[in-house]
Amino acid sequence: MVISPQTLFTGRQLIWLPECPSTNSEAQALLVQNRASDGCTVITGYQSQGRGQRGNQWHVAPGENLTLSVIWQPTFLAASQQFLLSQAVALAVHDWASTLLGPDPKLKVKWPNDLYFGNQKFGGILIENSLSGPKIQHSIVGIGLNINQQQFPIATATSLGQLTGRAYALDVLAARLLECLERRYLQLRAGQISTLRADYLKALYRYQETHFFEVDGQRVEGQIVGVEEDGRLAVALSAQELRRFGMQEIRHVV
């Protein structure tokens, strides 16, 4: 695959693998071997052992979707600011999807960083950070996006092709995605934190809407009212109780 993104560094070193177990694992190996420059991108036609959030696997059909990992060196971020990078990446993917679907109100980021259209997922992000003292040394940003795939084993998954009825050239979309990623990363590097946080809340799935959640094995009603700096989700429960949840502690009920 030939990709020529209009970027300063993201994707300028590009490694194409027809197939691999995991692009994040391949990126980690490059770091260990000291063979990765800042912005190095690993992209594959088929990822056989992709990993998602909460320890889930990410299943995709060969040759029909975008699966890649970007290596950055965000040494300007403290270890306590890891969620800022997650927000920037989620917004970049949302920006990318907006260029293809338009400013559709159904296009959302589901906390912490899944891409949703309505109640269906068509993109996921897994960021793995390595720390050096109080700072982030390297980040491996793994992204999986459903593009041309038409059949899924679960009803809550969809693809860009299903949503638009079109087929897409993956190399063109990959270049556009890398451009969107670098734009938001540079925004983060420039310290535009308040803008990133405000944009994230605007894009957040079910923000300030009353819905049901699963908490401690129970179905409860609540409303997302914000996201803490450490990434915890702030939810006002029906009993007028404000609680903050980590990723393993709450689930949306569709």
Side-chain angles (χ1 to χ4, degrees), residues 49-71:
Q49 299 174 29
R51 304 190 304 278
Q53 297 286 4
R54 305 178 191 263
N56 296 324
Q57 277 197 299
W58 180 257
H59 297 285
V60 294
E64 296 184 359
N65 304 295
L66 275 182
T67 308
L68 57 85
S69 295
V70 176
I71 299 170

Side-chain angles (χ1 to χ4, degrees), residues 19 28 33 48 71 87 93 105 112 153 162 197 212 244:
E19 180 178 342
Q28 181 61 48
Q33 298 161 14
S48 58
I71 299 170
Q87 287 178 308
V93 176
Q162 280 190 335
R197 286 180 173 148
F212 286 102
R244 296 164 178 85

Side-chain angles (χ1 to χ4, degrees), residues 54-155:
R54 305 178 191 263
N56 296 324
Q57 277 197 299
W58 180 257
H59 297 285
V60 294
E64 296 184 359
N65 304 295
L66 275 182
T67 308
L68 57 85
S69 295
V70 176
I71 299 170
W72 278 326
Q73 300 170 11
T75 54
F76 56 90
L77 286 177
S80 60
Q81 296 177 304
Q82 293 180 58
F83 191 67
L84 284 176
L85 181 63
S86 179
Q87 287 178 308
V89 172
L91 285 171
V93 176
H94 186 272
D95 294 342
W96 166 87
S98 295
T99 66
L100 299 160
L101 295 170
D104 196 304
K106 292 182 180 180
L107 182 63
K108 293 292 183 181
V109 173
K110 183 181 176 185
W111 176 84
N113 51 25
D114 285 336
L115 188 64
Y116 263 60
F117 189 88
N119 292 321
Q120 291 182 296
K121 177 178 176 179
F122 75 101
I125 297 164
L126 178 64
I127 301 175
E128 297 176 309
N129 297 314
S130 59
L131 308 180
S132 178
K135 297 287 187 179
I136 300 176
Q137 183 177 28
H138 293 103
S139 296
I140 298 175
V141 178
I143 300 173
L145 294 162
N146 298 334
I147 306 298
N148 293 321
Q149 188 169 337
Q150 294 296 318
Q151 303 293 329
F152 294 94
I154 55 175

